[in-house]
Amino acid sequence: EPPAVLQLGGSVPATLAEATRIARPWGYNEINLNCGCPSPKTGSSRTRFGAWLMEDPALVRDCVAAIAETADPSVDISVKCRIGVHKTMEDLERDGDSYNDLRKFVEVVADGGHVRHF
């Protein structure tokens, strides 16, 4: 029942575009790229996803563009993100979160023109 949101995880634009193409017949109202999952498993594989993508906003912009170019034009594209990314709790306690890093992430991804919601 609408609204229905599909959340994708990945860091290969062509693969995300293919997942979007496969899902298109189901009529999702929104497609969300997961840049928020903090699990260590998301950063340990060959293709990183989840919160680790926040370290590469240009890649996220490219991933979102691939999704948007494949999705129906009426589908909203969004990005789930975190306030910051830290490899360990000690890093978080020592460094805290950086507003400037979050702002840069949002600016770079938003400049691609496909995402209105973070």
Side-chain angles (χ1 to χ4, degrees):
E1 187 172 316
V5 178
L6 171 65
Q7 184 177 70
L8 298 176
S11 59
V12 179
T15 304
L16 292 166
E18 179 65 8
T20 301
R21 185 194 64 73
I22 291 168
R24 199 170 168 165
W26 278 276
Y28 289 99
N29 303 97
E30 180 178 331
I31 299 175
N32 175 269
L33 180 61
N34 182 341
C35 296
C37 182
S39 171
K41 294 178 183 179
T42 65
S44 62
S45 68
R46 218 171 15 96
T47 57
R48 295 166 52 149
F49 67 98
W52 305 109
L53 285 175
M54 290 188 67
E55 295 178 343
D56 193 347
L59 175 59
V60 174
R61 180 192 60 220
D62 295 345
C63 289
V64 168
I67 292 168
E69 290 164 5
T70 309
D72 184 281
S74 67
V75 172
D76 289 329
I77 310 297
S78 63
V79 172
K80 173 187 173 185
C81 62
R82 303 187 73 74
I83 294 172
V85 179
H86 305 282
K87 295 194 184 330
T88 66
M89 285 304 294
E90 291 80 17
D91 292 342
L92 172 60
E93 291 168 2
R94 182 187 63 243
D95 303 330
D97 288 317
S98 166
Y99 171 77
N100 287 332
D101 289 346
L102 176 60
R103 184 176 53 95
K104 178 185 174 194
F105 175 81
V106 170
E107 284 177 355
V108 170
V109 175
D111 281 349
H114 300 288
V115 177
R116 294 182 302 171
H117 303 284
F118 288 85

